[in-house]
Amino acid sequence: MEQSRGSSSRLRFLLAVLLFELVSAAAAITRDDFPEGFVFGAGSSAYQVEGAWAEERKKPSIWDTYTHQGYAFDHATADVAADQYHKYKAYVRLMHEMGLDAYRFSISWSRLIPDGRGAVNPKGLEYYNNLIDELLKHGIQPHTTIYHFDLPQALQDEYNGLLNPRVIEDFTAFADVCFRSFGDRVKQWTTVNEPNIEPLGGYDMGYLPPRRCSSPFGFPGITCAEGNSTMEPYVVAHHLLFAHASMVSLYRRKYQAVQGGRIGITLLAWWYEPATTKPEDVAAAERMNDFTLGWFLHPLVYGDYPPVMKRNAGSKLPALTAEESARVRGSFDFVGVNQYGAIYVADDPSQLKRELRDYSADEATKYVTQPFESSRHQEFKQRGLGLRNDDAPWALRKLLEHLQTKYANPPVVIYENGAGHEPDPSGGLLYDDEFRSRFLQVYIEAALQSIRNGSNVRSYFVWSFMDVFEYIFAYQFQFGLIGVDYGAEGRTRYARSSARWYAGFLHGGELRMVAPDGSRASS
């Protein structure tokens, strides 16, 4: 008995030593542990931060129309938002003080080309030239997204926007203006942000612009005036895929050799995890990863849609000819991922027995947890919307391993990763967001672990640099390192504790913060 207790004590001691060493190793991580040239940044997008929605010849996007019709959460709009249009110099100074290597932003199509095609707005051109020059003056790389959900309303009115293949030509002409006007200074281009989510929110569930869906589908409580939830998501995604390929082809043919930039696409990349170890649930998780990531990555890497999508969606999924396959295959220099955690799913084969099926039914799965609920535990429950930030760095590691093994280990840019909070209903400002610092620490550590395991990760960006108008939650779930007082007319800006932590890390400090007693925070 004494020998057994002694062995048990020694085992606990060895485990404690091992745990201490692991935590100490994590604590000692600095940015110098990342490969030479690795880029750390933060990001936003045009509609979410610029404001000035109708100033200096800018015309409405579909998001302006949607919010002005009262459809956004809390009936909010981004008419002013963080007012980056007028305050870009102040924001860039904050970026410089923080030590950002790069800032990710997008170009407002209807600010640069108000009617969607044709004449370029000189004031829009001036604004983006000024923003890019200001970033470079402060040593900050511009990482520029051409399209981030804000299609010009003019194109929606003229030919139903993304539903019409004519949009591919207009995307390409818009990109041509961007490359020609900014490509001498912008060296990192994203064609389209999250083309694997816009077709669902806007054309299946109908809760995002242009609010198209059909009965019995659609988000609960939403009645769409028009749409076809069974077909349109696949058609829209197909057009976005070929708009991307066309923009890449243009850049490579006309600009890349002279300008020396890189071009890719950015996908929403929740990791889907089986709810149980049952083979059918494991297969369901694999199927979900194919339906979301594979929807675009499979044709980009292999020239065709994933077999499970072709099998389940059937003729609703457009077929690729040999010429189209060649056009999309290899049309990227990097893959951007927006990663916030994991979603647990289970098999639901009954969905495939429905005579009428939308995209969600074709997936044949059911969600056991929801987005922003990476853990099935109930701690950290927040007030109001009840959203949580249960960190799941293992989800990022599994995602990167998946890209490494299934999609030939492409260069990866983590363009979005961050933790949100619900604002104080009394209007108080949040300065102490240690939860956000901790969230970012474990994900940055996970990225480094994946790099050491052979993943080709090139950059990491926090979402978001400042508080923004969130597409789903408006101003009721905020991710900013820099807080914005939306109750103040001047949109007062203030640094949260996470901003100070990130600045310390970017200036050479250790990943884990050091407490006053000399101990380091652990994960």
Side-chain angles (χ1 to χ4, degrees):
M1 182 67 72
E2 290 297 325
Q3 184 178 4
S4 175
R5 279 200 295 267
S7 298
S8 177
S9 297
R10 284 193 296 274
L11 179 59
R12 285 197 298 271
F13 174 75
L14 290 172
L15 289 173
V17 170
L18 178 60
L19 179 60
F20 175 79
E21 289 177 348
L22 288 172
V23 170
S24 297
I29 291 170
T30 71
R31 65 171 302 162
D32 289 339
D33 290 292
F34 286 79
E36 185 178 355
F38 193 91
V39 170
F40 284 98
S44 70
S45 83
Y47 180 76
Q48 295 177 276
V49 299
E50 284 182 358
W53 79 276
E55 292 185 31
E56 298 183 320
R57 304 182 191 177
K58 180 186 177 295
K59 289 189 177 180
S61 73
I62 58 173
W63 268 95
D64 292 308
T65 302
Y66 172 85
T67 59
H68 291 170
Q69 291 174 345
Y71 292 127
F73 194 89
D74 270 357
H75 307 292
T77 75
D79 289 359
V80 179
D83 201 20
Q84 181 183 276
Y85 188 79
H86 298 108
K87 296 179 167 61
Y88 70 91
K89 288 187 177 181
Y91 281 116
V92 172
R93 281 196 300 272
L94 289 171
M95 295 173 203
H96 177 66
E97 292 168 5
M98 190 179 292
L100 295 189
D101 298 325
Y103 178 53
R104 176 196 184 219
F105 65 94
S106 70
I107 306 288
S108 167
W109 191 339
S110 59
R111 190 182 301 285
L112 190 62
I113 308 175
D115 293 316
R117 73 162 73 88
V120 174
N121 174 14
K123 287 295 186 178
L125 194 66
E126 179 183 4
Y127 167 69
Y128 290 111
N129 274 320
N130 288 343
L131 174 60
I132 292 165
D133 288 344
E134 191 73 12
L135 289 167
L136 292 172
K137 185 173 79 173
H138 287 83
I140 300 168
Q141 302 172 19
H143 282 229
T144 306
T145 301
I146 296 170
Y147 177 70
H148 197 123
F149 298 152
D150 48 351
L151 187 81
Q153 184 63 43
L155 301 185
Q156 184 66 34
D157 293 340
E158 181 181 350
Y159 55 67
N160 264 337
L162 301 179
L163 274 173
N164 195 310
R166 288 174 60 188
V167 80
I168 298 171
E169 181 180 349
D170 286 333
F171 261 113
T172 310
F174 170 40
D176 199 8
V177 173
C178 293
F179 299 147
R180 183 174 66 249
S181 303
F182 314 124
D184 59 327
R185 289 152 293 156
V186 173
K187 304 305 177 186
Q188 198 84 4
W189 292 99
T190 295
T191 56
V192 182
N193 178 74
E194 296 184 353
N196 56 339
I197 190 64
E198 186 172 18
L200 307 182
Y203 296 85
D204 184 355
M205 304 295 287
Y207 62 85
L208 297 178
R211 283 178 56 86
R212 295 181 65 90
C213 63
S214 58
S215 180
F217 310 106
F219 198 76
I222 288 179
T223 301
C224 298
E226 54 189 351
N228 183 337
S229 295
T230 65
M231 296 287 295
E232 290 184 3
Y234 294 111
V235 172
V236 166
H238 194 70
H239 293 161
L240 286 170
L241 174 65
F242 278 90
H244 157 80
S246 180
M247 288 186 275
V248 172
S249 176
L250 169 71
Y251 187 66
R252 288 177 169 174
R253 184 177 68 253
K254 190 174 178 182
Y255 295 102
Q256 193 167 39
V258 175
Q259 295 180 350
R262 296 167 61 80
I263 190 165
I265 193 169
T266 295
L267 304 174
L268 182 62
W270 292 101
W271 178 253
Y272 291 90
E273 184 75 3
T276 74
T277 57
K278 295 177 182 177
E280 56 268 32
D281 288 344
V282 173
E286 292 175 355
R287 186 164 61 248
M288 283 298 299
N289 287 316
D290 278 343
F291 259 79
T292 52
L293 286 170
W295 197 1
F296 283 81
L297 280 182
H298 209 276
L300 291 176
V301 174
Y302 300 112
D304 202 359
Y305 290 115
V308 68
M309 289 192 75
K310 295 169 70 174
R311 185 166 61 249
N312 286 13
S315 60
K316 295 182 296 183
L317 186 67
L320 273 68
T321 66
E323 185 274 331
E324 289 173 331
S325 176
R327 205 188 318 163
V328 299
R329 188 191 299 115
S331 60
F332 63 95
D333 297 326
F334 67 89
V335 173
V337 294
N338 297 342
Q339 218 290 319
Y340 292 91
I343 298 172
Y344 289 89
V345 294
D347 186 41
D348 187 5
S350 66
Q351 300 270 16
L352 295 177
K353 297 177 182 178
R354 295 183 181 182
E355 184 175 346
L356 191 64
R357 297 199 306 270
D358 67 345
Y359 172 95
S360 298
D362 289 337
E363 293 170 332
T365 60
K366 58 184 176 184
Y367 282 29
V368 176
T369 61
Q370 298 299 318
F372 297 103
E373 188 183 335
S374 294
S375 167
R376 284 170 289 182
H377 300 296
Q378 297 300 307
E379 66 265 38
F380 310 126
K381 186 169 178 65
Q382 300 177 347
R383 62 186 177 277
L385 295 173
L387 299 169
R388 295 192 288 281
N389 294 293
D390 296 346
D391 54 67
W394 56 267
L396 177 61
R397 289 194 297 269
K398 286 193 173 187
L399 167 69
L400 295 174
E401 182 181 5
H402 181 69
L403 298 178
Q404 189 175 348
T405 58
K406 187 162 185 173
Y407 295 110
N409 201 20
V412 173
V413 176
I414 300 169
Y415 264 137
E416 290 184 22
N417 178 244
H421 72 274
E422 296 187 39
D424 185 340
S426 70
L429 303 180
L430 177 70
Y431 287 88
D432 182 8
D433 60 345
E434 189 277 332
F435 71 91
R436 181 172 288 118
S437 300
R438 181 184 181 279
F439 185 99
L440 300 174
Q441 288 161 12
V442 297
Y443 277 91
I444 290 172
E445 181 184 348
L448 180 59
Q449 291 171 343
S450 294
I451 291 169
R452 289 172 172 171
N453 288 330
S455 181
N456 196 5
V457 182
R458 305 289 183 86
S459 307
Y460 173 91
F461 286 68
V462 176
W463 183 268
S464 51
F465 175 68
M466 74 283 268
D467 286 340
V468 309
F469 173 94
E470 290 291 339
Y471 282 116
I472 304 294
F473 311 114
Y475 302 109
Q476 295 306 310
F477 203 48
Q478 293 293 289
F479 289 77
L481 297 166
I482 300 296
V484 178
D485 183 358
Y486 286 109
E489 185 176 349
R491 296 302 196 259
T492 309
R493 299 161 298 284
Y494 59 96
R496 296 193 169 109
S497 60
S498 61
R500 292 190 293 274
W501 163 77
Y502 197 41
F505 174 69
L506 296 182
H507 284 96
E510 294 182 1
L511 182 66
R512 299 282 188 255
M513 294 179 293
V514 180
D517 63 1
S519 63
R520 292 186 177 94
S522 71
S523 58

